[in-house]
Amino acid sequence: MSVEMSLPVLTDKDFASDQDVRWCPGCGDYSILAQMKKVMPTLGIPREKIVFISGIGCSSRFPYYMNTYGMHTIHGRAPAVATGLKTVQPDLMVWVITGDGDGLSIGGNHLMHCIRRNMDLNIVLFNNRIYGLTKGQYSPTSPLGKRTKSTPMGAIDNPLHPLSIAIGAEATFVARSIDTNIKHLGATLKRAAEHSGTSFIEVYQNCNVFNDGAWDYAKDRNTKADTTLELEHGKPLIFGKDRDKGIRLNGLEPEVVQLGKGITEDDLLFHDEKALEPSLAYLLSRMRYEDGFPEPIGVFRSVDAPRYDELVNDQIALATKEQGPGELDKLYGSGETWTVA
């Protein structure tokens, strides 16, 4: 006689740890945490099979607040730690929580190589365009001319654009959401979790203490219809309060057009998140509010590709089959070894 065991039904409260959440009142991190806790029960994965890994920064306190396994690692190295864990424990769902400073400054190299390997990881980058934990220095995403404690005369570094970097490294899933757009944020996190391969999500997140209002144009109810564009697979790029504006290509350059007066939806650029060639997704990632474009939110790219964690374990299995499990002492004493007299 067999007895079928069913998993207990979990709620968002089951994913809340017993730790006091210690972010500044009003921080956008609270919203991201809340949506993550709401998404987790919908995935049907036991808490002991989920791990959150972070580096250093305000966002990196995240593992303390999730009632799952977690690791608070060192500055910029969360993708490297996550790569090792997922490789040796492929049954785990692994999330990397990082910020624009942690992920794109000291951690930029680790982030890029993790993405290009297409590890089965979910990377969430909180982008507030400032160093919040260390009290307001400029970050790799701070705009040119930004005056901060470390750039009193204005930043002279060209800012990095997270999604452009991810797409340049050929990430198989790339998306953007906004901390206060909670329905969209939750749906985006869920889609990322369901993707096989590296999921990279940039979240526009407000630091109300050191960079308040950085994303107001994309969040204000009076302006966001004209300053953001929600991507839908297979649909034309339409935006505006009256849904009367669109994006079309003029040669290789995107341009904003007004629908009507001879311009129809068929003239517009249609979104294809499944395109294997990443050029369209890259073009969308370069659209900036300051250049007169709406900034896309949603899924830019979602394609399938070989995964590093699967391939490396396939190689280990093949080597073990052909050569046996091996012995560490023999390995240390083999190959090019010598004795120094």
Side-chain angles (χ1 to χ4, degrees):
M1 178 179 177
S2 62
V3 178
E4 292 189 3
M5 300 293 291
S6 59
L7 292 173
V9 177
L10 301 175
T11 69
D12 56 340
K13 293 181 180 179
D14 293 307
F15 283 90
S17 76
D18 61 356
Q19 300 296 300
D20 292 333
V21 182
R22 296 182 182 275
W23 286 314
C24 301
C27 176
D29 290 3
Y30 285 96
S31 176
I32 304 172
L33 175 65
Q35 295 314 304
M36 185 68 78
K37 288 189 291 190
K38 287 180 180 179
V39 167
M40 287 293 106
T42 70
L43 304 178
I45 299 174
R47 288 175 298 176
E48 61 271 17
K49 292 293 184 180
I50 302 172
V51 184
F52 284 85
I53 299 176
S54 65
I56 297 297
C58 296
S59 64
S60 294
R61 296 190 62 81
F62 209 90
Y64 295 106
Y65 308 139
M66 295 296 299
N67 190 16
T68 63
Y69 284 108
M71 299 182 192
H72 190 176
T73 67
I74 56 178
H75 209 183
R77 272 64 175 183
V81 175
T83 295
L85 178 63
K86 183 64 181 181
T87 301
V88 299
Q89 294 287 345
D91 60 323
L92 297 178
M93 168 175 274
V94 181
W95 293 80
V96 172
I97 305 296
T98 186
D100 46 306
D102 180 63
L104 296 175
S105 185
I106 191 171
N109 194 48
H110 293 284
L111 184 72
M112 177 184 68
H113 289 294
C114 180
I115 290 172
R116 77 176 178 88
R117 287 171 171 151
N118 197 34
M119 297 291 304
D120 191 20
L121 303 171
N122 307 296
I123 304 172
V124 185
L125 186 143
F126 299 17
N127 186 4
N128 56 25
R129 305 178 108 177
I130 204 77
Y131 277 103
L133 185 69
T134 51
K135 308 301 184 287
Q137 299 84 1
Y138 83 124
S139 86
T141 60
S142 294
L144 197 66
K146 177 70 175 178
R147 291 178 180 270
T148 72
K149 293 177 180 179
S150 55
T151 55
M153 296 181 67
I156 56 175
D157 292 358
N158 288 315
L160 293 176
H161 302 294
L163 296 192
S164 299
I165 291 172
I167 295 167
E170 300 201 30
T172 55
F173 183 95
V174 180
R176 175 190 287 146
S177 192
I178 302 171
D179 57 6
T180 54
N181 193 341
I182 58 176
K183 183 178 180 180
H184 186 272
L185 176 57
T188 302
L189 292 173
K190 184 173 174 61
R191 280 208 58 188
E194 293 169 346
H195 178 71
S196 177
T198 298
S199 300
F200 184 85
I201 313 100
E202 176 190 24
V203 182
Y204 283 178
Q205 176 258 329
N206 191 45
C207 175
N208 59 314
V209 175
F210 295 108
N211 200 25
D212 193 25
W215 308 113
D216 274 358
Y217 64 85
K219 300 166 75 166
D220 189 287
R221 66 180 62 188
N222 296 316
T223 61
K224 64 182 181 180
D226 291 308
T227 59
T228 62
L229 187 159
E230 188 165 344
L231 299 172
E232 296 181 81
H233 177 61
K235 300 288 184 67
L237 301 187
I238 296 176
F239 69 103
K241 186 176 181 180
D242 299 318
R243 304 284 293 169
D244 59 348
K245 303 174 189 175
I247 304 294
R248 73 176 179 185
L249 284 183
N250 183 0
L252 296 177
E253 296 290 335
E255 64 178 1
V256 176
V257 294
Q258 191 81 27
L259 291 172
K261 298 181 179 180
I263 298 178
T264 70
E265 291 186 7
D266 290 338
D267 297 313
L268 302 180
L269 184 60
F270 280 66
H271 182 46
D272 183 7
E273 67 182 38
K274 301 295 182 183
L276 293 178
E277 168 54 51
S279 297
L280 174 60
Y282 186 82
L283 179 147
L284 294 174
S285 77
R286 303 297 299 171
M287 286 170 50
R288 305 275 168 245
Y289 165 68
E290 55 262 33
D291 295 328
F293 291 98
E295 297 192 359
I297 62 173
V299 178
F300 288 61
R301 191 169 194 244
S302 179
V303 299
D304 294 322
R307 286 170 32 196
Y308 178 92
D309 45 303
E310 285 188 333
L311 295 176
V312 73
N313 280 298
D314 287 346
Q315 288 186 341
I316 291 171
L318 179 61
T320 302
K321 180 180 178 181
E322 293 180 347
Q323 304 176 39
E327 297 180 28
L328 197 57
D329 287 342
K330 287 184 178 180
L331 177 64
Y332 284 155
S334 65
E336 297 180 358
T337 61
W338 60 91
T339 300
V340 177

